[in-house]
Amino acid sequence: MTRQELQKQILQLPMSERLQIVQSVIASIQQETNLPVSKQDSNSSFVQTLDPWTQSLVGIASSDSSGITSESYIDYLEKKYS
């Protein structure tokens, strides 16, 4: 099977299955090139159970301490909408 034939067949799959293929290919490349596996990859089995739209949101928000706490954000929202 040629690359074009494989690509054509993959593009006919539902988006969730295409996403799983992409994730497995990326994991394979990371292993072969010894790239560090991201934190998201360690949770990939959980992420794969999510709806594709929800999967697309994974990683948008960072969990590092950038000075904004959930309490200060709640206070901000209360002031904004009160």
Side-chain angles (χ1 to χ4, degrees):
M1 178 178 296
T2 67
R3 185 190 59 79
Q4 288 88 1
E5 292 170 335
L6 181 61
Q7 182 178 355
K8 184 178 179 181
Q9 287 185 0
I10 290 172
L11 292 175
Q12 293 174 353
L13 295 172
M15 185 171 46
S16 61
E17 291 180 25
R18 287 184 289 170
L19 183 59
Q20 289 175 350
I21 290 171
V22 168
Q23 289 172 335
S24 64
V25 169
I26 289 173
S28 170
I29 291 170
Q30 286 175 330
Q31 288 174 352
E32 288 182 28
T33 59
N34 296 321
L35 291 175
V37 177
S38 70
K39 186 176 181 181
Q40 181 180 351
D41 291 338
S42 64
N43 297 324
S44 64
S45 61
F46 170 73
V47 172
Q48 291 177 355
T49 63
L50 299 173
D51 180 82
W53 183 83
T54 307
Q55 290 177 5
S56 70
L57 299 176
V58 172
I60 290 176
S62 66
S63 61
D64 63 88
S65 57
S66 60
I68 299 176
T69 64
S70 59
E71 291 175 16
S72 65
Y73 184 66
I74 291 170
D75 292 340
Y76 161 76
L77 291 175
E78 285 177 349
K79 287 177 186 177
K80 181 176 180 180
Y81 293 108
S82 60

